[in-house]
Amino acid sequence: AMGAGGGVGSVRAQNHFRDSALYVNMHVLNHPHILLRVFDQPSLFDMATGDLRDAASEEQVKKFVAAFLDW
C-alpha cells in the first residue's frame, strides 16, 4: 500500500484497508509499503504543488510502481 499523511504516514489507514480487503477475499499487493510523512520538516513534498521532492522517497515510489506492474 502507499499513502502519505501526518504522524505515522498513513499506516493505520493502509492496515485497515488491507484487513477489510482480505476479509472480502480481494487480492492485495502486500509489499512494498511506502509511508511518507507529509508534515515533517523539511517536508518531502513541495506543499504548493504537492510534488514529491525527496530522491530517496521517489526511489521507493518507483519500486512500488514496478512491483505493482509485475503483480
Side-chain angles (χ1 to χ4, degrees), residues 2-56:
M2 178 176 18
V8 292
S10 60
V11 70
R12 284 186 268 179
Q14 290 180 38
N15 286 336
H16 181 69
F17 173 76
R18 181 183 177 279
D19 291 344
S20 298
L22 290 174
Y23 181 78
V24 296
N25 294 320
M26 292 176 66
H27 298 284
V28 297
L29 176 65
N30 288 312
H31 295 285
H33 292 279
I34 300 175
L35 303 171
L36 303 176
R37 294 172 56 138
V38 173
F39 301 110
D40 277 357
Q41 293 299 322
S43 181
L44 302 174
F45 297 88
D46 180 324
M47 298 308 277
T49 65
D51 293 338
L52 181 60
R53 60 181 188 183
D54 177 66

